[in-house]
Amino acid sequence: MDVATAAQAALGAGAGGGGTNTTTTTSSSTSDATEQERLSQDLALFLSNPTLRSALADGSLDLASYSSTVEAELAALESECVGIYRAKSEDIRTLRTEMDECDAVLASLQELLLGFQADLAGLSGDIKSLQDQSRTLSVQLKNRRDAELGLRGFLERIVVPPQLADHVCTGAVDDQFVDCVRELEEKYTYLHMGRTTDPVELELMERTSSGIPPATTEAGKEMQAHVSKLRTTAVVRIREYYLAKFAELRRPRTNVRMIQVNSLLKYGDLNDFLLTAAPDVYQEVRDVYIESMGKTLHALFRTYAAQLARLDSRVANRNDLIAIDDATLRDAFSTKVNMTKRADAFCLGERVNVLEVSTAADRQPILAHVALSEGERYPYEVIFRSICTHLMDAATNEYVFVRQFFKENGADAFTAIFSRTTSLVLEQLENYLFNCHDAIGILLMIKLTHANRRIMRSRNVDVLEGFFDKVASLLWPRLKMVMDAQLRSVRGANAKKLGGVELHAHYVSRRYAEFSASILLILNKGKKTGSIERSTSVGSAGKPVASQSKQRRNSADTDDAGSVQSAGSGGTGRPSHRGSAGDMLVSDLALLLDETVLLLERLAEAHTTNKKKFVFLINNYDQVLCIFQERRVAGKEVNRFAELLMQQRELFVEEELLQGFSKMIAFVQQTEAHLARGAAGQEKVEVNPAVVEGLVREFASTWKQNIELINRNVLSYFSNFRNGMEILKQVLTQLLLYYTRFQDIIRKVWRGKPPAFSKDLVSTTVILAEIKKYALSI
């Protein structure tokens, strides 16, 4: 049996020993379970004492005696408590009285609190009722606010504010007017919104009119008439504004660009409004602008071209040909040929500067009134560049404006605006070309046209492509006609028509050289190499290349010299088979070279002796080469004349040596031939010693005088000192070679024993020293 069981049994026994029967005396209000629980608690308290627990465990504790001891102690304590209670009876009675008073106070407080509780219960009902009412009012307020927002959005989109209507009807056309028109158009669009499947419109109607189409509402139907009337008023006012501004464009000295930017483009939304609200009025405004701007530009360019025409220096006329009758070149009161006339018709000079567009100043058009006041004169290509520059700038500005102002209708508007102006420029160019004989000026204008085309392509403005094609189609045929006239003049010329010839260079060779050099320099202008400019494409007459072609825009940096009709027919109506226009020009230059060479040969035939013929040709060929070198021209023309010059120099050298040394030269040539045949065994060589001796003595006595004579002849024959000295060197060198060959023949014939006249032979060293004297004098 464990400690707890034993303790429980002992306590039970002790309790029975005390005469107290706890089982039978429990009141009716205490249950067995309660008693058992209390017993368990007492037992646990008893066992919590370690001394008692250990004593109970080892059996040394007598529970009966221990119970008696406890009972005695309890009785003593009870007696002591009763004594203390009696001693404190008055205090306890006072305390009891106070407790009763407190109970009475607490009872009254309880009654008061119960009253409060009853009142609070009533207030809780009221608060709950108020909460229900508040929730109801909140829902009603939300619904009314949602309705207000929807109605406000609907009303804002259909109701016209008084200030908006007032500004549309009477206000000035300004930024506020544009905002009012834009708002009015939004109201008009909303009011005419009917049943639709557009998700954007459906969402707008759902947000502003609960999904009801505004056009079907009574308010919408009522406002449609008012908004439409106000819209019509706005259209009328915008029309009047634009027409007034267009009228300003036609006034003289008007800054068109300022009006376009500050009065038209600034309010470009009004034009878009016209296109939507009144297409017929928009078309009227567009037509009036086209007519006004077209007349303004036409008048401007007509006046400008007329002023520039007074600045034309007229470089060439129909008589400015490479070869022309002598009578045409003579002054009215003189029999001498005036070679100073019309020199610029063949010489390029500073005219090539017209192609320079490296700086902005180079691209500036001529200020006509300033040039007239200063008395300036310009070649026509400068005038042409000025007109084209002015035209391109005006076209660029106008193209940008109409594309911004008329949107998708801008391209058609530009064509209608500039048609009269471009026709005017083409007509004036055609009138000028009708009496133009300046091939250099025409070719410069062709190059300018190509440069202008590239400039416009770099600006991404291709509206002048057709104009450039027409310009080229006018220039190339006229250039062909002028080139044909030059060819005919050279082909049909002779010594009689040209007034006779002299030994010095003829003006024909100078004109040819200047003319050819000018053409080649223009063709090669802007190229990195010296090759002749060739075109890469050919167009047909009257068929302009499409200006909107993407390929042409990508090839803006190529030189399309042949992108117009081939002008090989020369205006005769026959088809050309020369390829492109650039090839035609190069071919004409080749023909001109051949015809010039033939003409010089014909002119040389007017001289009576071969020497004079050679001198004449050498002077002319040398003049051509000198001009080519001065102009830094390279090509087949230079090579051709260099070869011709060398041929004529060789012929002149032989002819000049025959004058003083003909016998020796003939002997050398004949004897060398006999020696060659003798070496082959065909002939026996026999030389007359007397003849050889006579030749030796004659050379020894006359060679210095003959060299001096050659020197004087060369200096008098050739106007170009350098050319004369080269020829003199060549003559003396050839003389030395002949004399050396003469000595070689003597040594071959008299191999064993030199003849007696050998002592009279002049040493080649002496001759060479004499030649060096003339060389040093150079």
Side-chain angles (χ1 to χ4, degrees):
M1 181 175 66
D2 58 3
V3 177
T5 306
Q8 187 175 2
L11 290 174
T20 304
N21 190 359
T22 60
T23 305
T24 58
T25 61
T26 59
S27 62
S28 59
S29 62
T30 304
S31 63
D32 293 339
T34 304
E35 190 67 23
Q36 185 67 26
E37 182 180 358
R38 183 181 300 171
L39 180 62
S40 297
Q41 293 176 353
D42 292 341
L43 180 60
L45 179 63
F46 179 80
L47 292 176
S48 64
N49 191 332
T51 303
L52 294 178
R53 183 178 181 86
S54 62
L56 183 62
D58 58 11
S60 61
L61 178 64
D62 186 4
L63 295 177
S65 62
Y66 182 74
S67 175
S68 299
T69 302
V70 170
E71 287 291 339
E73 290 177 354
L74 290 174
L77 291 173
E78 182 178 0
S79 299
E80 184 179 356
C81 288
V82 170
I84 293 172
Y85 181 78
R86 287 176 178 175
K88 299 292 182 181
S89 60
E90 290 298 329
D91 296 336
I92 293 172
R93 187 169 51 252
T94 303
L95 181 61
R96 177 61 183 267
T97 303
E98 291 177 356
M99 291 178 62
D100 291 341
E101 292 176 356
C102 288
D103 287 340
V105 172
L106 292 175
S108 62
L109 289 175
Q110 182 178 7
E111 292 178 359
L112 180 61
L113 291 175
L114 289 176
F116 287 160
Q117 184 178 5
D119 295 338
L120 290 176
L123 291 175
S124 176
D126 295 339
I127 291 173
K128 185 177 181 181
S129 176
L130 290 175
Q131 288 178 344
D132 293 340
Q133 292 179 8
S134 176
R135 281 193 293 270
T136 302
L137 292 175
S138 177
V139 171
Q140 292 177 352
L141 178 61
K142 182 178 180 301
N143 293 337
R144 291 182 180 182
R145 285 179 176 176
D146 292 341
E148 179 187 358
L149 290 175
L151 187 60
R152 179 188 300 173
F154 177 74
L155 292 177
E156 286 178 351
R157 283 172 172 79
I158 66 171
V159 174
V160 179
Q163 59 271 22
L164 184 148
D166 179 69
H167 202 82
V168 169
C169 294
T170 61
V173 177
D174 51 13
D175 292 335
Q176 185 178 355
F177 181 86
V178 175
D179 294 337
C180 292
V181 170
R182 190 181 296 114
E183 183 180 354
L184 180 64
E185 184 63 16
E186 292 175 356
K187 295 181 183 297
Y188 180 86
T189 303
Y190 182 78
L191 284 172
H192 289 78
M193 191 181 297
R195 300 188 180 279
T196 180
T197 59
D198 187 358
V200 177
E201 294 183 357
L202 289 175
E203 190 275 336
L204 179 62
M205 288 191 297
E206 186 67 28
R207 184 161 43 85
T208 58
S209 60
S210 300
I212 303 174
T216 62
T217 63
E218 291 298 326
K221 293 177 181 179
E222 180 181 353
M223 291 303 300
Q224 281 179 357
H226 299 292
V227 173
S228 298
K229 183 178 179 181
L230 191 59
R231 192 168 181 249
T232 303
T233 302
V235 169
V236 172
R237 294 210 59 208
I238 294 172
R239 174 184 175 275
E240 293 174 351
Y241 173 78
Y242 279 146
L243 294 182
K245 292 302 177 182
F246 296 162
E248 293 181 9
L249 294 176
R250 295 192 292 268
R251 296 176 183 172
R253 303 179 181 275
T254 299
N255 192 326
V256 175
R257 189 61 182 165
M258 292 294 292
I259 295 178
Q260 289 178 338
V261 173
N262 297 328
S263 300
L264 299 179
L265 282 181
K266 185 177 181 180
Y267 307 129
D269 291 343
L270 299 180
N271 198 40
D272 299 336
F273 168 75
L274 285 183
L275 179 61
T276 303
D280 53 339
V281 177
Y282 171 84
Q283 187 63 37
E284 178 189 2
V285 168
R286 180 174 175 271
D287 292 342
V288 172
Y289 176 80
I290 291 173
E291 181 182 2
S292 300
M293 198 63 195
K295 288 182 178 180
T296 299
L297 290 174
H298 181 268
L300 175 64
F301 276 90
R302 182 179 57 194
T303 304
Y304 187 62
Q307 292 176 338
L308 293 184
R310 298 165 58 187
L311 303 175
D312 185 12
S313 60
R314 281 289 174 181
V315 175
N317 56 37
R318 61 185 303 176
N319 295 322
D320 287 307
L321 301 172
I322 294 176
I324 192 171
D325 290 350
D326 179 66
T328 307
L329 290 174
R330 296 185 185 275
D331 288 332
F333 304 100
S334 175
T335 59
K336 294 182 179 180
V337 175
N338 184 2
M339 294 303 299
T340 62
K341 287 185 175 181
R342 324 304 295 178
D344 292 339
F346 304 97
C347 180
L348 181 60
E350 295 183 356
R351 295 176 67 182
V352 73
N353 295 335
V354 75
L355 300 179
E356 297 292 341
V357 290
S358 57
T359 63
D362 295 329
R363 296 188 293 268
Q364 289 298 322
I366 298 173
L367 298 177
H369 63 284
V370 175
L372 287 172
S373 63
E374 296 178 355
E376 297 286 347
R377 290 292 182 271
Y378 302 97
Y380 191 78
E381 63 269 12
V382 178
I383 296 174
F384 175 78
R385 185 186 71 173
S386 182
I387 293 176
C388 288
T389 301
H390 197 17
L391 180 65
M392 290 191 299
D393 292 342
T396 302
N397 291 332
E398 192 62 26
Y399 178 77
V400 173
F401 170 77
V402 295
R403 289 300 298 268
Q404 293 177 349
F405 192 66
F406 293 111
K407 303 298 189 298
E408 63 276 3
N409 299 319
D412 296 338
F414 177 87
T415 303
I417 291 170
F418 266 81
S419 59
R420 293 181 62 191
T421 301
T422 54
S423 298
L424 172 68
V425 175
L426 290 172
E427 180 183 357
Q428 292 174 340
L429 177 61
E430 187 175 8
N431 292 337
Y432 169 79
L433 293 176
F434 183 76
N435 194 31
C436 176
H437 304 275
D438 183 12
I440 295 176
I442 296 175
L443 187 57
L444 287 172
M445 287 190 284
I446 291 173
K447 293 286 287 187
L448 283 172
T449 301
H450 300 156
N452 292 337
R453 192 193 299 268
R454 290 191 293 270
I455 290 173
M456 293 302 288
R457 288 175 179 174
S458 66
R459 297 176 181 177
N460 293 325
V461 179
D462 54 3
V463 290
L464 291 181
E465 289 289 337
F467 169 77
F468 292 138
D469 290 339
K470 292 178 181 179
V471 170
S473 66
L474 290 175
L475 294 173
W476 277 113
R478 186 61 190 180
L479 178 61
K480 174 60 180 173
M481 293 178 64
V482 176
M483 291 297 295
D484 288 344
Q486 298 290 356
L487 284 170
R488 285 194 301 270
S489 71
V490 175
R491 188 179 293 122
N494 53 48
K496 183 178 180 180
K497 288 184 178 180
L498 299 180
V501 293
E502 299 175 354
L503 289 179
H504 297 295
H506 199 275
Y507 76 87
V508 169
S509 61
R510 171 170 289 277
R511 285 192 170 190
Y512 163 77
E514 294 283 4
F515 183 75
S516 297
S518 299
I519 297 295
L520 293 175
L521 287 174
I522 294 173
L523 289 178
N524 293 330
K525 183 66 177 178
K527 288 183 173 289
K528 295 182 180 179
T529 63
S531 59
I532 301 301
E533 179 181 12
R534 302 290 180 128
S535 59
T536 58
S537 59
V538 184
S540 58
K543 187 182 294 183
V545 183
S547 63
Q548 301 296 330
S549 171
K550 181 179 179 180
Q551 180 179 1
R552 293 189 63 173
R553 289 196 298 268
N554 292 339
S555 62
D557 293 333
T558 60
D559 196 347
D560 49 353
S563 61
V564 297
Q565 65 174 2
S566 176
S569 61
T572 61
R574 296 190 302 272
S576 171
H577 303 285
R578 299 187 181 186
S580 69
D583 292 332
M584 174 272 296
L585 181 57
V586 175
S587 177
D588 283 348
L589 283 177
L591 286 176
L592 185 60
L593 186 151
D594 295 336
E595 293 296 338
T596 302
V597 172
L598 293 175
L599 173 59
L600 292 176
E601 292 176 354
R602 291 198 302 271
L603 295 178
E605 293 297 328
H607 293 286
T608 57
T609 63
N610 288 335
K611 181 193 284 190
K612 290 184 178 180
K613 295 177 183 179
F614 301 149
V615 170
F616 175 79
L617 291 176
I618 289 173
N619 281 327
N620 283 279
Y621 295 157
D622 179 67
Q623 178 173 250
V624 173
L625 283 175
C626 287
I627 292 176
F628 281 167
Q629 292 171 0
E630 290 175 3
R631 305 294 185 269
R632 297 183 180 180
V633 175
K636 62 181 182 179
E637 291 82 4
V638 178
N639 298 333
R640 175 72 180 279
F641 278 99
E643 293 173 0
L644 292 173
L645 179 60
M646 292 302 297
Q647 294 173 5
Q648 296 303 317
R649 279 180 176 179
E650 292 174 0
L651 294 174
F652 172 79
V653 168
E654 297 294 334
E655 192 68 26
E656 182 65 23
L657 290 176
L658 289 176
Q659 181 177 353
F661 307 97
S662 58
K663 293 179 181 181
M664 184 188 69
I665 293 173
F667 173 80
V668 170
Q669 293 174 347
Q670 293 173 5
T671 305
E672 284 179 344
H674 293 322
L675 289 175
R677 288 193 293 269
Q682 300 176 357
E683 180 181 345
K684 184 179 180 181
V685 179
E686 294 182 358
V687 177
N688 189 345
V691 174
V692 176
E693 183 179 2
L695 292 175
V696 171
R697 297 184 185 280
E698 181 182 0
F699 182 84
S701 62
T702 62
W703 70 276
K704 288 188 177 181
Q705 294 83 351
N706 287 331
I707 290 178
E708 179 64 28
L709 179 61
I710 290 173
N711 181 52
R712 289 197 302 268
N713 289 340
V714 169
L715 292 178
S716 63
Y717 288 154
F718 305 108
S719 55
N720 186 348
F721 181 76
R722 181 176 298 177
N723 177 51
M725 290 300 100
E726 291 292 334
I727 294 174
L728 178 60
K729 288 181 183 179
Q730 193 171 348
V731 172
L732 297 179
T733 302
Q734 188 66 25
L735 172 61
L736 183 60
L737 291 175
Y738 272 126
Y739 190 67
T740 303
R741 289 159 61 186
F742 178 68
Q743 290 178 335
D744 291 340
I745 291 173
I746 295 175
R747 284 193 292 269
K748 289 180 181 179
V749 174
W750 286 276
R751 295 180 180 177
K753 182 179 180 181
F757 55 81
S758 295
K759 65 179 182 301
D760 295 326
L761 288 173
V762 180
S763 173
T764 55
T765 305
V766 176
I767 298 175
L768 186 59
E770 189 70 18
I771 292 176
K772 288 183 177 180
K773 287 169 54 178
Y774 290 101
L776 292 175
S777 66
I778 300 174

